């Protein structure tokens, strides 16, 4: 990113170019998506690097709508900064938790373009951010300003910052290096050994959802968060912010629901029943499938498989529910015949705990017919099992 061109973009002239670029990109006349036509037209009046800066922002704002919704058209991004930013729904939940613990101030140690910082500031916390990358600092500050939010951002190495004046230290270490995703926590930036030092105080650290449970220190709460069915992250809460051992938080159309290890009495293993529940990914990652089983008066169908069976039908935010219509043959040939018999031409294949590639199976089944159906392929008492189900 050209920092001078970005700084210019924030001036009145820059804002006029940005507005014009947005308008032209969206207008029918220029032919939607005809970036070259827009660029050529704009370059008649403005320097190439300024036009490039404006076009980049217009493109990134469009891409950012999925994460930042209505705020995206007013915000600024870098491509990597957008990719690494926390989506607003998840960042808002975190900020709301901080408020609930009566935190008044937070320092974001590696704030990127400000995804979490913005949410903290919107929640009314005094929010300060540091990042070692001057481009991201410029963008994060521009975002606070553009949204009319208080907060300050500076260029600094987070590992040398005195965070003690703040109620909470927050970090979201970069898990991508120059060569792609970094899997070892010590390879994160800042690394795990530094993250651990934060756990001596009230802190929150965003980590990969795949974090091994045994890496989470005692007395630190691990919270897995999903947004509209997709697991987005885990957050580790320490000091007075930790309120349980493991938690699954599910953000959905109807709001937010949370389940903790205290809600988990464990569950038995038993037979398939009239209803089947497929727990949300955050619940599975948090190891709370048995808590869902308890919540729907059910049991597991296999000790190691994340399906719950119950004879009761429940609406729960923690799982998708299905009515089991019948058991079908598991073997390809007999299954193909059974589906033909029922006129099933469109099939959703769900599977857990069995070696099946749904796309390959679908080809082998050579479906034909006008009916739609869902099957679940799994293991029950060690045996491959196929269930014809109907989503609630
Ligand atoms: C995953 S991103 C943070 C994204 C941010 N939470 C958001 O929602 O936009 C991690 C950030 O940490 C910064 N970073 C990595 N190591 C750092 C260090 N030692 N000091 C300061 N910043 C650092 C990177 O430049 C990057 O912007």
């Amino acid at each position: 990113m050209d920092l001078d061109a970005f700084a210019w973009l924030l001036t009145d002239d820059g804002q006029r170019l940005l507005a014009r670029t947005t308008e032209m990109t969206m207008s029918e006349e220029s032919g939607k998506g005809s970036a070259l036509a827009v660029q050529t037209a704009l370059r008649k009046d403005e320097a190439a690097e300024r036009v490039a800066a404006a076009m980049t922002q217009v493109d990134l704002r469009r891409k950012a709508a999925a994460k930042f919704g209505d705020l995206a058209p007013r915000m600024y991004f870098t491509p990597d900064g957008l990719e690494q930013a926390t989506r607003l729904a998840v960042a808002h939940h975190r900020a709301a938790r901080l408020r609930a613990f009566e935190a008044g101030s937070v320092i974001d140690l590696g704030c990127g373009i400000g995804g979490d910082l913005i949410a903290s500031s919107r929640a009314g916390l005094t929010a300060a951010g540091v990042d070692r990358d001057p481009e991201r600092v410029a963008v994060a500050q521009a975002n606070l300003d553009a949204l009319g939010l208080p907060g300050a951002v500076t260029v600094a190495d987070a590992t040398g910052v005195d965070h003690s004046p703040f109620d909470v230290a927050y970090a979201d270490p970069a898990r991508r290096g120059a060569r792609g995703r970094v899997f070892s926590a010590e390879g994160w930036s800042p690394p795990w050994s530094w993250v651990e030092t934060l756990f001596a105080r009230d802190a929150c650290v965003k980590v990969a959802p795949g974090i091994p449970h045994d890496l989470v220190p005692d007395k630190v709460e691990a919270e897995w968060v999903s947004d509209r069915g997709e697991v987005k992250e885990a957050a580790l809460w320490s000091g007075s912010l930790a309120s349980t051992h493991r938690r699954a938080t599910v953000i959905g159309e109807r709001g937010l629901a949370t389940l903790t290890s205290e809600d988990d009495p464990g569950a038995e293993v038993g037979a398939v029943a009239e209803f089947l529940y497929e727990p949300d990914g955050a619940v599975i990652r948090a190891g709370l499938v048995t808590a869902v089983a308890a919540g729907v008066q059910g049991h597991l169908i296999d000790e190691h498989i994340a399906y719950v069976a119950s004879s009761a039908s429940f609406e729960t935010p923690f799982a998708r529910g299905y009515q089991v219509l019948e058991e079908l043959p598991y073997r390809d040939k007999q299954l193909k015949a059974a589906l033909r018999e029922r006129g099933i031409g469109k099939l959703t294949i769900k599977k857990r705990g069995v070696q099946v590639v749904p796309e390959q199976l679908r080809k082998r089944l050579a479906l034909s017919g006008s009916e739609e159906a869902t099957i679940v392929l799994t293991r029950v008492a060690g045996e491959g099992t196929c269930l014809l189900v109907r989503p609630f």
Side-chain angles (χ1 to χ4, degrees):
M1 187 169 93
D2 179 335
L3 260 178
D4 289 339
F6 180 72
W8 178 81
L9 213 54
L10 305 175
T11 65
D12 288 349
D13 286 345
Q15 292 294 296
R16 273 189 284 278
L17 176 65
L18 197 51
R20 196 172 157 217
T21 310
T22 308
E23 205 176 296
M24 287 177 74
T25 307
M26 295 194 164
S27 98
E28 294 284 342
E29 297 99 68
S30 67
K32 265 187 196 159
S34 172
L36 192 63
V38 175
Q39 188 188 58
T40 310
L42 292 172
R43 277 209 197 165
K44 286 183 187 144
D45 306 321
E46 205 47 83
E49 61 277 12
R50 292 177 173 177
V51 171
M55 292 194 65
T56 302
Q57 290 308 323
V58 171
D59 181 44
L60 291 173
R61 283 176 169 182
R62 190 178 44 78
K63 293 183 177 145
K67 276 190 177 177
F68 291 96
D70 294 353
L71 299 189
R74 287 190 278 153
M75 290 176 64
Y76 299 90
F77 304 96
T78 66
D80 290 352
L82 171 58
E83 195 175 315
Q84 295 184 344
T86 303
R87 57 183 45 233
L88 208 57
V90 177
H92 274 160
H93 158 62
R94 188 178 357 266
R97 251 194 95 161
L98 291 175
R99 286 296 293 179
F101 280 101
E102 292 177 3
S105 62
V106 59
I107 181 157
D108 189 334
L109 299 160
C111 63
I113 58 98
D116 286 295
L117 193 71
I118 288 166
S120 294
S121 188
R122 275 165 69 96
L125 290 143
T126 298
V130 302
D131 202 290
R132 66 178 177 188
D133 178 345
E135 289 177 3
R136 295 192 186 189
V137 166
V139 172
Q141 188 64 60
N143 282 331
L144 288 172
D145 297 344
L147 299 174
L149 295 168
V153 194
T154 37
V155 179
D157 183 335
T159 59
V161 168
D162 174 15
H163 42 74
S164 60
F166 293 85
D167 292 345
V168 177
Y170 171 73
D172 172 10
R175 302 189 300 268
R176 270 182 187 284
R179 287 201 225 120
R181 204 173 281 277
V182 178
F183 291 99
S184 142
E186 202 44 37
W188 298 348
S189 183
W192 179 254
S193 46
W194 173 79
V195 166
E196 280 181 311
T197 65
L198 296 181
F199 296 144
R201 57 160 296 162
D202 287 355
C204 176
V205 180
K206 173 177 161 182
V207 296
I211 187 164
H213 286 202
D214 58 11
L215 199 61
V216 181
D218 283 349
K219 301 201 175 136
V220 168
E221 171 186 332
E223 177 188 30
W224 281 264
V225 184
S226 70
D227 184 26
R228 276 145 235 276
E230 267 182 65
V231 186
K232 292 298 173 192
E233 64 170 57
L236 305 181
W237 300 84
S238 64
S240 67
L241 304 176
S243 54
T244 184
H245 190 45
R246 283 172 287 123
R247 178 189 297 275
T249 295
V250 172
I251 303 172
E253 300 287 339
R254 293 195 219 159
L256 180 145
T258 192
L259 193 67
T260 72
S261 25
E262 272 83 56
D263 302 316
D264 187 8
E268 304 281 305
V269 176
V272 172
E274 189 181 349
F275 299 99
L276 186 77
Y277 296 86
E278 180 182 42
D280 182 274
V283 169
I284 297 174
R285 294 276 192 175
L288 293 172
V289 173
T290 45
V292 169
V296 298
Q297 298 170 3
H299 53 263
L300 304 180
I301 53 171
D302 182 291
E303 201 187 343
H304 302 292
I305 297 179
Y307 279 132
V308 168
S310 171
S311 51
S313 104
F314 278 93
E315 278 269 351
T316 165
F318 302 112
R320 178 184 275 215
Y322 299 89
Q323 182 174 17
V324 178
L325 302 175
E326 59 180 312
E327 184 171 347
L328 295 182
Y330 183 76
R331 304 225 163 270
D332 282 13
K333 205 169 149 205
Q334 289 87 335
L335 177 60
K336 185 173 169 180
L339 295 172
R340 277 266 157 96
E341 225 170 79
R342 289 159 182 77
I344 295 169
K346 201 167 170 216
L347 191 65
T348 301
I349 302 172
K350 308 229 137 232
K351 60 136 212 166
R352 256 178 207 170
V354 288
Q355 301 279 348
V356 174
V357 180
E359 276 324 303
Q360 293 173 3
L361 173 65
R362 192 174 284 107
K363 273 193 195 140
R364 291 199 301 275
L365 293 173
L367 301 164
S368 74
S370 56
E371 299 298 317
E372 273 187 43
T374 302
I375 57 169
V376 171
L377 298 165
T378 190
R379 229 174 38 232
V380 180
E383 289 290 313
T385 301
C386 176
L387 303 171
L388 182 66
V389 299
R390 180 165 50 215
F392 284 2

